[in-house]
């Protein structure tokens, strides 16, 4: 099986970055490498600043109230960072499609990959497959990859905590 040159699913990766944003360029690079992304250029403070600026704009997609608003936000992300698709074989990753120009820093690469990945996730799985955790005291974003499309919590602990709370409320 050929390794994905974009690393793990870009939407899952962005959910993790949104939950715990990197604090240094080195941490950003390490997390991208751990996710399987190829890094072509040195990673610096501008890459970190770029991704930290991008995070709230991406999270706004999860917070969108309607499918139309969500589509408009994703389209704005795509327009700000994606390029015409083309086939490439850089970084020994095998032949794959790029939706970005060459010579970009890691921040710009992640923005493009995540924007395209988010668009594919929402159009392929459903426009409601990105949201905020339903647990009142949790504000994390989740991406729904479940078969039935019914995920409402960012994690099993949050779902369990809410289930216990509802159970106790019914018993009273």
């Amino acid at each position: 099986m050929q390794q994905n040159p974009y690393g793990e699913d870009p939407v899952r990766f962005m959910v993790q970055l949104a939950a715990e944003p990197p604090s240094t360029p080195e941490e950003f690079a390490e997390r991208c490498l751990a996710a399987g992304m190829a890094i072509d250029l040195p990673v610096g403070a501008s890459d970190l600043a770029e991704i930290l600026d991008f995070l709230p704009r991406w999270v706004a997609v999860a917070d969108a109230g309607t499918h139309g608003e969500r589509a408009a936000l994703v389209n704005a992300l795509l327009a700000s960072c994606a390029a015409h698709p083309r086939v490439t074989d850089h970084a020994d990753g095998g032949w794959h499609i790029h939706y970005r120009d060459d010579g970009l820093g890691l921040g710009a690469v992640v923005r493009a990959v995540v924007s395209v990945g988010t668009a594919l996730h929402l159009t392929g799985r459903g426009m409601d497959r990105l949201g905020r955790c339903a647990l009142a005291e949790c504000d994390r974003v989740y991406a729904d990859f479940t078969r039935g499309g019914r995920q409402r919590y960012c994690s099993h602990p949050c779902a369990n905590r809410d289930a216990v709370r509802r159970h106790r409320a019914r018993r009273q």
Side-chain angles (χ1 to χ4, degrees), residues 108-153:
V109 169
V110 170
R111 283 187 320 115
V113 168
V114 166
S115 296
V116 171
T118 301
L120 292 171
H121 177 79
L122 294 173
T123 59
R125 293 183 177 273
M127 290 298 284
D128 57 345
R129 295 291 194 109
L130 193 61
R132 291 276 186 167
C133 185
L135 185 66
E137 61 268 19
C138 182
D139 68 347
R140 288 187 169 196
V141 172
Y142 67 85
D144 185 354
F145 288 90
T146 64
R147 184 178 300 180
R150 296 188 156 191
Q151 183 173 338
R152 298 296 171 253
Y153 299 93

Side-chain angles (χ1 to χ4, degrees), residues 133-135 138 140 153-163 166:
C133 185
L135 185 66
C138 182
R140 288 187 169 196
Y153 299 93
C154 69
S155 65
H156 290 297
C158 281
N160 291 341
R161 198 172 299 126
D162 207 31
R166 287 191 316 271

Side-chain angles (χ1 to χ4, degrees), residues 3-123:
Q3 180 184 4
N4 180 356
Y6 293 137
E8 66 180 32
D9 184 281
V11 178
R12 289 183 207 267
F13 180 64
M14 199 62 180
V15 165
Q16 293 167 357
L17 285 182
E20 298 176 33
S23 57
T24 66
E26 295 77 20
E27 179 188 354
F28 180 44
E30 288 170 13
R31 290 172 68 183
C32 288
L33 286 171
M37 293 191 80
I39 298 178
D40 298 329
L41 299 172
V43 180
S46 62
D47 294 301
L48 178 64
E50 187 169 359
I51 206 63
L52 293 177
D53 178 62
F54 178 73
L55 281 170
R57 293 186 289 138
W58 183 82
V59 168
V61 174
D63 291 338
T66 66
H67 292 172
E69 181 184 349
R70 184 165 284 166
L73 291 169
V74 170
N75 285 337
L77 293 179
L78 290 167
S80 73
C81 64
H84 294 288
R86 61 192 172 74
V87 176
T88 184
D89 69 343
H90 78 103
D92 296 326
W95 290 102
H96 57 279
I97 298 175
H98 270 193
Y99 294 93
R100 61 176 175 82
D101 294 325
D102 287 334
L104 299 177
L106 186 60
V109 169
V110 170
R111 283 187 320 115
V113 168
V114 166
S115 296
V116 171
T118 301
L120 292 171
H121 177 79
L122 294 173
T123 59

